Amino acid sequence: MEVMIGVRGACGLAMFGLMLSAVFFAGRADAVEGNREKFKVSKLVGERGMEQPDVPQPPQRDSPRGRALAALAAIEGPLTLYSLQPFMPPTSPPRRGAYGSPEYIAAEKRDDELWERSQREWCARDDCLASNKVLGKVAVNSKNDRAQVIKALRESLGKIPGYVSMCLPEYRHSVAFVSGGHYYDVLLCYQCGQVRVIIDGDDEGGNGQTYSMGSQAALNAILRKAGIPLAKASWGPSKE
């Protein structure tokens, strides 16, 4: 009898121990799964929550960019599309001598004078727009072509991203139009994603970053159809 009680007691203790083990490991499993979920959430916050989304903003209404955007609603007459060639710096021979030496300083002065003279001569015999040589221009009258040009203008002017490119713009396209008695020139640089607005010859707006710019290929097609050459790239490959 005492032996049976002892055996039953031992079995009961064993069962109780198994139950405690099951509860313990189940708790550990839940804890591990919970940690996994916490890690997923932390990872998601780290990847997304701490980064501000890039939401483009419209330009200020009274800015040159904002004025040009509003002026698209009341264009008077045709749009004029330009093909532009940015200034192409002259090629200079390598500078000799150690940095700061008389020979090096003389070569540096020579390069500066060559650059300034080339800039003066760049527009001396050709028409220029904001120091960019005009390769040709065409009035955009067809409905489809006009829609493509206006789309490029609306996108380029209408959205300002939350970042600024360090790329130096080289404008190879420009669109001119009249609205509200004012003359607008909107220069487009697809290579750097930048836009520049000139109103009545006033260039106070400077360069501005774009979020999207419409179809560069569509503008090039309009120029090619009119027999107007496209600009050469001053460095590296260019789709412009």
Side-chain angles (χ1 to χ4, degrees):
M1 185 72 177
E2 291 178 359
V3 173
M4 291 296 294
I5 294 173
V7 171
R8 289 179 180 177
C11 291
L13 289 172
M15 290 296 294
F16 182 71
L18 289 173
M19 291 175 62
L20 285 177
S21 299
V23 171
F24 172 76
F25 285 113
R28 286 293 302 273
D30 290 342
V32 170
E33 189 62 30
N35 287 337
R36 285 177 183 168
E37 291 301 320
K38 288 179 182 178
F39 174 75
K40 289 179 182 178
V41 172
S42 298
K43 187 171 183 289
L44 188 63
V45 170
E47 290 178 348
R48 300 179 185 177
M50 302 303 292
E51 296 179 2
Q52 295 295 327
D54 180 23
V55 179
Q57 300 295 322
Q60 294 182 356
R61 291 185 179 182
D62 58 348
S63 68
R65 190 165 172 172
R67 290 174 60 192
L69 179 63
L72 295 177
I75 295 176
E76 304 164 9
L79 296 166
T80 303
L81 176 63
Y82 287 79
S83 177
L84 303 176
Q85 177 63 64
F87 172 67
M88 300 184 71
T91 302
S92 302
R95 296 176 184 175
R96 296 183 179 180
Y99 179 79
S101 66
E103 189 177 10
Y104 185 92
I105 293 174
E108 188 175 40
K109 182 179 179 182
R110 175 205 64 204
D111 292 346
D112 291 343
E113 291 174 350
L114 178 61
W115 184 288
E116 292 175 2
R117 184 169 64 252
S118 297
Q119 281 188 314
R120 289 194 303 268
E121 295 173 352
W122 181 249
C123 296
R125 293 183 297 274
D126 299 286
D127 291 336
C128 277
L129 175 58
S131 299
N132 301 284
K133 192 176 292 185
V134 176
L135 301 179
K137 60 182 179 179
V138 58
V140 182
N141 295 314
S142 78
K143 183 177 180 180
N144 290 337
D145 289 348
R146 191 179 178 92
Q148 289 287 350
V149 173
I150 291 179
K151 182 176 184 291
L153 291 176
R154 286 194 188 283
E155 291 192 18
S156 299
L157 296 168
K159 298 178 181 180
I160 301 178
Y163 57 85
V164 177
S165 171
M166 298 302 292
C167 181
L168 183 64
E170 294 183 340
Y171 294 103
R172 293 179 170 83
H173 299 82
S174 182
V175 181
F177 61 92
V178 175
S179 178
H182 296 284
Y183 191 88
Y184 294 84
D185 288 297
V186 181
L187 286 73
L188 306 172
C189 174
Y190 283 91
Q191 186 166 293
C192 291
Q194 296 199 37
V195 63
R196 183 174 175 181
V197 177
I198 302 173
I199 304 176
D200 297 329
D202 189 349
D203 194 14
E204 65 179 20
N207 305 315
Q209 193 67 43
T210 63
Y211 188 80
S212 60
M213 298 184 69
S215 174
Q216 173 188 346
L219 301 190
N220 285 346
I222 296 171
L223 293 169
R224 288 194 183 100
K225 185 168 57 178
I228 296 173
L230 302 180
K232 299 176 182 178
S234 59
W235 57 271
S238 174
K239 298 180 180 179
E240 295 189 284

